[in-house]
Amino acid sequence: MSKVTEIKHPLISHKLAIIRSKDTGSKDFREIVEELSMLMAYEVTRNLSTEEVEIETPICKAKCRMLSGKKMAIVPILRAGLGMVDGMLRLIPAAKVGHIGLYRNEETLQPVEYFCKLPQDIAERDVIVVDPMLATGGSSADALTMLKKRGAKNLRLMCLVGAPEGIKYVQEQHPDVDIYLAEIDEKLNENGYIVPGLGDAGDRLFGTK
Ligand code: PRP
Ligand code: URA
């Protein structure tokens, strides 16, 4: 079974509390989602492999460690996942970026696929799928399936807020994919929204409602 990590950290809780507030507008919402993504990237990349290298400092030769292993790809689920890309790229600037377009049918809550463009060598990369919201888990699970169909093997999922129902669903569908969340919330409401959550992440990021 995959590992679920809730990155409870004072800075993360503080920033998340600001974007949970209905009084936070799109400009601040966008900036804070970017900051949160950068902070989370630190934890999500904790297990990247490193190798010993010899460096010459101004003082002497030194054995240091640098990243080894595979190259990375960040794959946002459109639209809201886009808000997390720049924060991730600030820590992992060499990563390539793929895009998966999915929206949730508001009545059935089932994800509908409309776009997929990935780096050509996705099968050789460590992939981090990003989406602020993990509600029923349908969108994340479908995005992971789309990636696997195109050869991706080493996948992680990073979301800001998740509901226990959605986390369980993704774990069942993708037991090989570790999940990282800023905070795990209480439940889903009757409309499939996360409680307490932060509302519709795409609309709040892009000011579409
Ligand atoms: C939101 C969110 C996730 C999805 C989560 O996207 O960004 O992708 O819902 O819900 P689920 O876990 O129940 O599938 P939405 O469908 O609203 O599309 P948008 O990002 O374009 O607004
Ligand atoms: N999508 C969102 O943007 N928010 C939720 O709470 C659930 C799905």
Side-chain angles (χ1 to χ4, degrees):
M1 187 56 85
S2 66
K3 197 172 75 170
V4 178
T5 304
E6 185 185 27
I7 313 172
K8 274 205 166 262
H9 183 284
L11 284 176
I12 289 182
S13 300
H14 179 86
K15 289 175 191 292
L16 203 48
I18 297 172
I19 60 169
R20 284 182 190 277
S21 166
K22 65 180 175 46
D23 296 326
T24 299
S26 287
K27 175 182 175 289
D28 290 340
F29 193 94
R30 266 199 297 272
E31 285 174 9
I32 293 171
V33 168
E34 184 178 332
E35 288 170 10
L36 280 166
S37 309
M38 190 173 66
L39 292 171
M40 289 185 76
Y42 181 78
E43 189 60 38
V44 175
T45 52
R46 183 177 287 284
N47 295 329
L48 292 184
S49 47
T50 58
E51 63 191 356
E52 192 175 274
V53 291
E54 194 172 84
I55 302 279
E56 200 163 347
T57 78
I59 311 299
C60 65
K61 287 192 173 154
K63 290 193 191 328
C64 302
R65 299 207 70 83
M66 292 186 89
L67 290 174
S68 61
K70 294 193 206 144
K71 295 185 178 154
M72 307 207 61
I74 299 162
V75 179
I77 303 178
L78 308 181
R79 293 173 300 164
L82 283 176
M84 300 176 76
V85 174
D86 286 349
M88 299 284 293
L89 286 176
R90 285 180 55 193
L91 283 199
I92 321 167
K96 291 203 172 167
V97 181
H99 294 87
I100 287 183
L102 288 172
Y103 70 88
R104 221 168 55 143
N105 177 305
E106 282 178 15
E107 265 128 50
T108 64
L109 301 183
Q110 293 306 305
V112 182
E113 178 185 330
Y114 63 88
F115 190 73
C116 185
K117 184 83 182 170
L118 302 172
Q120 202 195 337
D121 58 353
I122 194 76
E124 277 80 58
R125 290 183 175 263
D126 281 335
V127 181
I128 306 177
V129 177
V130 294
D131 190 328
M133 311 307 281
L134 177 53
T136 65
S139 303
S140 291
D142 267 28
L144 292 165
T145 302
M146 288 164 72
L147 279 153
K148 287 180 179 174
K149 276 192 189 148
R150 288 157 179 86
K153 290 177 281 289
N154 197 340
L155 293 146
R156 282 165 240 211
L157 173 66
M158 176 176 131
C159 303
L160 295 184
V161 180
E165 299 89 323
I167 295 168
K168 182 164 174 276
Y169 181 70
V170 174
Q171 282 192 299
E172 284 164 3
Q173 300 298 311
H174 298 284
D176 55 314
V177 177
D178 287 342
I179 306 172
Y180 295 82
L181 300 130
E183 285 181 5
I184 299 174
D185 275 11
E186 202 185 312
K187 60 176 181 184
L188 294 177
N189 70 12
E190 59 287 2
N191 301 316
Y193 276 81
I194 300 174
V195 180
L198 46 79
D200 187 307
D203 284 338
R204 296 200 63 194
L205 268 171
F206 298 111
T208 38
K209 221 171 234 172

